[in-house]
């Protein structure tokens, strides 16, 4: 109550003192509610008695009552994609798709490549175009490709090669009932586990597609303040701590469009490995000069609402906590704007297993990939 009264008092005297408008804005931003356990889509109004097994599982995942990672459930063998056995198993086609995706996401030395990092980014950019304030429309609905947002919105254009690849997969597999929305999200979770040290995030299929453009201006900027980022993601039901976990995906990032003069510059020294170097190196004023640090990441790393979580993910003990926190937050992200959650099917068993022997970290990069794939911001 005291904090609310302080905020109200600041707003009430905005006209009396120069600069008070900015103070009021900052105070309001710091009163963001924690929506991080809020249910999503059709789960919001469904009683437990009406939940399917998958709906019940996702409810537990969204409220933090279930493990968001699964390293054990997998296929020992997979039927031919044209067989009756495969047709009878919703996840069978996804095993075929995931195997093909993986084959295109790794370099010769086992690290994840430009397509992998682009697919991670595509998962974010399709799903994050949703907000509590915008209502139905947007979110994980495939519109990134189907509504040509990849081509028509400048924030997405670095992903055009990956969007072309996703369209090719869609054209090949849509006859088996595959949606673009699911392809994009499965691409993100396949890429994440394909990157050495990455988590195996529980994955679901059955989302519905939309060819209608999603609401614009709902994606973060690399120049955003901590206040702006925390407020933006609170409206997506993602807490400040979950936001810190999600931006860790910059561990595999190579920026292209933020500063075209330094296109290809990585955001940590191991862009082919899903490690926590990003967190420590963002904080380190003596980090290699060839790294590219987003101002938005620096702002989050220093803000008192997020700095403790940031420090928790720093090496050498941060890998496990980060993988779990990222998985939890990404499941929520991947379900934004999905209104048939109760009808989804879990297909985590289709994901690749993590690499058994992760490759050693590469030498400090020169700014360009060795595998010839496109380089993109993440």
């Amino acid at each position: 109550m005291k904090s609310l009264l302080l905020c109200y008092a600041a707003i009430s005297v905005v006209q009396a003192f120069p600069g008070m408008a900015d103070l009021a804005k900052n105070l309001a931003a710091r009163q963001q509610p924690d929506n991080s356990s809020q249910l999503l889509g059709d789960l919001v109004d469904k009683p437990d008695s009406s939940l399917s097994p998958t709906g019940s599982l996702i409810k537990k995942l969204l409220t933090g009552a279930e493990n968001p990672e699964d390293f054990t459930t997998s296929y020992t063998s997979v039927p031919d994609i044209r067989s009756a056995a495969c047709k009878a198993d919703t996840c069978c086609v996804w095993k075929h798709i995931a195997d093909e995706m993986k084959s295109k996401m790794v370099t010769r030395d086992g690290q994840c490549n430009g397509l992998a990092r682009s697919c991670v980014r595509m998962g974010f950019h399709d799903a994050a175009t949703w907000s509590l304030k915008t209502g139905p429309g947007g979110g994980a609905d495939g519109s990134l490709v189907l509504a040509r947002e990849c081509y028509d919105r400048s924030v997405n254009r670095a992903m055009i090669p990956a969007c072309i690849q996703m369209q090719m997969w869609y054209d090949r597999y849509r006859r088996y009932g595959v949606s673009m929305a699911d392809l994009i999200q499965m691409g993100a979770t396949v890429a994440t586990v394909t990157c050495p040290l990455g988590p195996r995030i529980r994955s679901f299929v059955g989302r519905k597609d939309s060819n209608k453009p999603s609401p614009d201006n709902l994606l973060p900027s690399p120049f955003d303040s901590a206040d702006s980022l925390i407020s933006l993601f609170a409206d997506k039901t993602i807490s400040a701590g979950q936001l810190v976990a999600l931006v860790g995906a910059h561990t595999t990032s190579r920026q292209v469009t933020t500063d075209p003069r330094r296109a290809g510059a990585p955001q940590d020294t191991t862009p082919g490995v899903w490690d926590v170097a990003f967190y420590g190196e963002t904080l380190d004023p003596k980090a290699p000069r060839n790294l590219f640090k987003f101002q938005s990441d620096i702002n989050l790393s220093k803000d008192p609402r997020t700095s403790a979580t940031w420090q928790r993910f720093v090496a050498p003990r941060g890998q496990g906590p980060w993988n779990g926190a990222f998985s939890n937050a990404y499941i929520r992200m991947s379900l934004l704007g999905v209104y048939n959650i109760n009808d989804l099917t879990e297909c985590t068993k289709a994901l690749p297993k993590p690499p058994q022997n992760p490759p050693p970290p590469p030498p400090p990069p020169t700014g360009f990939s060795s595998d010839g794939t496109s380089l993109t911001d993440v």
Side-chain angles (χ1 to χ4, degrees), residues 4 29 39 58 81 114 141 210 220 232 296 317-319 342-343 367:
L4 291 176
L39 296 181
I58 292 176
I81 195 170
D141 61 5
S210 173
L232 177 69
S296 56
R317 298 182 179 180
Q319 189 73 47
N342 202 46
D343 299 325

Side-chain angles (χ1 to χ4, degrees), residues 173-184:
Y173 292 108
R174 62 189 299 185
R175 74 188 71 176
Y176 301 104
V178 167
S179 73
M180 178 65 78
D182 287 338
L183 270 173
I184 291 173

Side-chain angles (χ1 to χ4, degrees), residues 279 282-283 296-303 306-308 310-311:
Y279 288 103
T282 299
L283 292 169
S296 56
D297 292 337
I298 295 172
N299 294 341
L300 279 178
S301 73
K302 295 179 177 180
D303 190 272
T306 48
S307 59
W310 195 284
Q311 289 281 356

Side-chain angles (χ1 to χ4, degrees), residues 39-249:
L39 296 181
L40 298 171
D42 54 315
L43 297 188
V44 172
D45 299 318
K46 278 190 181 296
D48 287 349
S49 59
S50 299
L51 294 178
S52 68
T54 302
S56 180
L57 168 62
I58 292 176
K59 180 176 180 178
K60 292 178 182 178
L61 288 166
L62 292 174
T63 56
E66 184 62 72
N67 189 348
E69 299 181 72
D70 180 353
F71 289 97
T72 59
T73 307
S74 64
Y75 281 92
T76 54
S77 63
V78 60
D80 184 276
I81 195 170
R82 295 163 294 184
S83 67
C86 195
K87 185 176 180 180
D89 177 2
T90 300
C91 300
C92 177
V93 64
W94 288 105
K95 171 61 174 170
H96 288 276
I97 293 170
D99 286 349
E100 181 178 345
M101 287 178 166
K102 178 184 176 181
S103 73
K104 295 181 180 295
M105 290 181 176
V106 293
T107 61
R108 294 184 184 90
D109 60 359
Q111 296 178 42
C112 52
N113 63 18
L115 177 61
R117 63 179 60 97
S118 289
C119 284
V120 171
R121 192 180 184 212
M122 287 181 70
F124 278 80
H125 280 226
D126 195 45
T129 55
W130 179 90
S131 166
L132 288 168
K133 294 177 180 177
T134 59
D141 61 5
S143 60
L144 179 66
V145 178
L146 296 178
R148 297 185 58 82
E149 293 164 14
C150 242
Y151 307 92
D152 298 338
R153 296 181 180 179
S154 59
V155 69
N156 296 326
R157 287 176 187 164
M159 297 183 292
I160 287 176
C163 290
I164 291 172
Q165 176 62 72
M166 201 65 68
Q167 182 69 55
M168 292 171 62
W169 280 327
Y170 180 65
D171 292 342
R172 183 178 308 159
Y173 292 108
R174 62 189 299 185
R175 74 188 71 176
Y176 301 104
V178 167
S179 73
M180 178 65 78
D182 287 338
L183 270 173
I184 291 173
Q185 296 307 318
M186 188 65 77
T189 54
V190 170
T192 301
V193 73
T194 295
C195 291
L197 302 182
R200 194 166 184 259
I201 304 169
R202 300 184 79 157
S203 301
F204 301 87
V205 301
R207 296 171 186 81
K208 295 181 179 180
D209 281 342
S210 173
N211 58 10
K212 179 181 179 180
S214 59
D216 204 353
N217 301 314
L218 290 177
L219 296 175
S221 160
F223 307 102
D224 278 344
S225 67
D227 277 336
S228 295
L229 290 167
I230 291 169
S231 177
L232 177 69
F233 279 83
D235 283 339
K236 303 181 195 298
T237 76
I238 292 171
S239 70
Q242 289 172 326
L243 170 59
V244 172
L246 288 172
V247 301

